[in-house]
Amino acid sequence: MTGSAVVIGASGGIGTALVRALVADARYPAVHALSRRGDGGVDGAIPGTIDLTDEASIAATFDRMAGDIDLLLIASGILHDGARRPERSLRELDADWMARNFAVNAIGPALAIKHVAPRLPRDRRSVVAALSARVGSISDNRIGGWYGYRASKAALNMLVRSASIEIARSRPKALVVGLHPGTVDTALSTPFQTGVPAGRLFTPERSVHALLSVIDGLDVAANGHLFAWDGREIQP
């Protein structure tokens, strides 16, 4: 029997779609749907609470789970919060807002990987995938702006890379990767959908179908890399 699947950020648009897809897939004996409020309510999933800004919460959440974990999907993230938006210029930089971006988009996922790593099986394939973003690619940045979000996603990509190297030493069949879901019609992207080309604003279901297909097609050579929804690798 395989181990469990875990989705962090299960109350968001992509997270909810991921949970539904994994429950329908039936490959995992349990699908844990984790969110800050514990309201990732999908029939057949096990709801739970987690706060990625509180390591004690992360540790306690994984301690409550039994058995191995074969799949961890980190679908949480922050792009805007109330009146706070991605910075358009250096004049808009704010230390607290940048720290919030890093806490949610980079540090929290890294701590989740820290606590799931000992639970990954040693004798079979497992996957840890964190939702990143193309705007976190340093080489692809040609217009600037969005300082905190870009930098936090670039940091996440580096954290994924480092974790992939360490975990592979004891679990050579494990994959730790970043995934870019495309522009998805969720609350996170709503203020920024103007100008998205026709056919490139995805439903959560379409994005999730593509992401899970990408995961299924990855081999160990993909460990530590970042992939878009269409399977193409995104350069750092």
Side-chain angles (χ1 to χ4, degrees):
M1 178 178 288
T2 60
S4 300
V6 179
V7 177
I8 296 177
S11 62
I14 296 176
T16 299
L18 282 169
V19 174
R20 288 195 180 115
L22 292 173
V23 169
D25 183 283
R27 276 187 284 180
Y28 303 96
V31 177
H32 296 270
L34 307 179
S35 65
R36 288 191 68 180
R37 298 185 298 274
D39 56 356
V42 173
D43 288 344
I46 302 170
T49 58
I50 193 168
D51 182 353
L52 286 185
T53 64
D54 180 358
E55 187 173 2
S57 167
I58 298 169
T61 296
F62 284 110
D63 285 346
R64 287 193 291 268
M65 296 180 190
D68 290 337
I69 295 171
D70 276 6
L71 178 64
L72 171 65
L73 299 173
I74 305 172
S76 54
I78 190 170
L79 176 58
H80 56 89
D81 185 13
R84 287 180 157 176
R85 294 287 192 271
E87 311 92 340
R88 293 168 296 180
S89 71
L90 288 168
R91 293 189 301 273
E92 296 179 3
L93 288 184
D94 175 84
D96 289 340
W97 178 231
M98 288 192 74
R100 176 71 173 159
N101 273 266
F102 273 81
V104 176
N105 295 334
I107 299 172
L111 292 173
I113 296 172
K114 168 187 173 179
H115 287 279
V116 81
R119 307 288 298 279
L120 300 176
R122 295 178 182 270
D123 60 345
R124 62 179 182 270
R125 184 181 191 265
S126 59
V127 177
V128 174
L131 292 195
S132 188
R134 189 179 296 276
V135 297
S137 166
I138 295 173
S139 61
D140 193 59
N141 182 1
R142 294 177 175 83
I143 62 173
W146 286 36
Y147 288 88
Y149 188 73
R150 283 185 187 275
S152 64
K153 289 297 187 179
L156 173 62
N157 296 341
M158 179 59 78
L159 292 163
V160 162
R161 178 65 174 169
S162 290
S164 74
I165 295 169
E166 179 178 347
I167 290 172
R169 293 175 183 143
S170 59
R171 289 159 174 82
K173 296 182 180 180
L175 294 174
V176 184
V177 297
L179 295 175
H180 168 54
T183 302
V184 185
D185 189 11
T186 65
L188 184 139
S189 71
T190 295
F192 313 102
Q193 293 177 5
T194 302
V196 176
R200 285 304 181 96
L201 180 62
F202 302 154
T203 65
E205 291 73 21
R206 178 183 174 187
S207 177
V208 162
H209 176 77
L211 293 175
L212 293 177
S213 295
V214 170
I215 288 173
D216 284 344
L218 297 178
D219 59 23
V220 292
N223 193 32
H225 295 266
L226 171 64
F227 298 91
W229 57 272
D230 58 3
R232 298 181 183 181
E233 184 175 351
I234 298 173
Q235 297 303 313

